[in-house]
Structures are given as structure tokens and as C-alpha cells.
Amino acid sequence: MLKTIRPGLLYFGLVLGTGFLLGMVRVPFLVPRLGERWAELAEMPIMAVVIFVSAGYVLKRYPVIRTHGQALVVGLLALTLSVVAELGLAMVLQDQTLSDFVASRDRVSGTVYLALLLVFALMPRLRLRSHA
């Protein structure tokens, strides 16, 4: 279990950091032109590539996690950290409750976002074949 913490933190950091940088472009430049839904949807293919590449990088850097169970734990740890960070920021910086945050999500882009979170959690496990 301990050997999955560093890879999980790295995976989380790579994806969250990229999402933060993309958000700095999306919010001021894309949202006013496209609207929230389309701006978020435009960002998601980029994030899917970032997730794919980041999972591969973590598997390459930490060969010790190349078992099905450990790769899954890395993804689940990164997912947990991401959800806690996003909810925490929404609650602290935007003064939202959990129900306010969930209600504020667009139905279309929010659903795609949830699917992408599932992919994020599973990607280290899914990428194992290419790193065996």
C-alpha cells in the first residue's frame, strides 16, 4: 500500500496541474465565447490525453506498481485526492455546499466529466498492458 502513495500523488499532481492550467485558459477565454458547457466539453479531450499520458509516465517511473491491484489503487488514490480537492475548493473559495456544487454542474458536461473521472481512476490499470 505504501508503495502506491508516491505514484498516486504524482498521477494526481500531473492531471490536476494540467487541469488547473487549462482552466486558466478556459474560464477567461472560452467560457465568454462558447458558454460553460461547450468550454468544458472542448477541454475534456485534452484532459483525456493528459490522463492517458500521465498514467503511462507513472507506470514507467514506478515499475513496482505494475500489478493490477496496485495500479488500481494508484488510480483510486488520485481520484480521491482530485474529488477532495475540487469539492474543497468549491466549498472554501466559492462558498458552496456540496449540494450547491452538484446542482451547479451542467447536465451534459457534468455527465461527461463524471465519465472522465472514472477513466482517470482506471487508466493506470488499463495502461498496464502497454507497460508489461
Side-chain angles (χ1 to χ4, degrees):
M1 176 76 159
L2 289 177
K3 57 186 160 186
T4 60
I5 292 175
R6 277 196 178 138
L9 288 171
L10 177 61
Y11 183 46
F12 159 74
L14 290 170
V15 175
L16 182 78
T18 304
F20 178 77
L21 292 174
L22 288 173
M24 291 173 52
V25 172
R26 176 179 43 86
V27 172
F29 300 109
L30 294 180
V31 171
R33 289 168 179 77
L34 303 175
E36 190 77 30
R37 173 183 289 175
W38 289 105
E40 287 179 359
L41 289 172
E43 183 182 278
M44 288 184 194
I46 299 167
M47 287 305 297
V49 170
V50 168
I51 288 167
F52 182 84
V53 171
S54 296
Y57 175 75
V58 169
L59 287 168
K60 185 175 183 177
R61 183 155 183 212
Y62 294 95
V64 70
I65 63 163
R66 289 191 197 161
T67 66
H68 299 293
Q70 289 173 338
L72 187 58
V73 168
V74 166
L76 292 174
L77 172 60
L79 173 67
T80 301
L81 292 170
S82 293
V83 170
V84 167
E86 185 161 356
L87 292 176
L89 288 173
M91 294 168 86
V92 171
L93 296 180
Q94 298 173 355
D95 198 29
Q96 290 182 323
T97 66
L98 178 58
S99 60
D100 291 338
F101 175 76
V102 172
S104 72
R105 298 297 303 193
D106 178 76
R107 291 180 71 130
V108 175
S109 62
T111 301
V112 176
Y113 173 72
L114 288 175
L116 197 57
L117 283 178
L118 180 62
V119 168
F120 174 56
L122 296 176
M123 190 56 69
R125 167 64 182 86
L126 296 172
R127 291 287 317 263
L128 274 179
R129 287 188 177 168
S130 64
H131 290 277

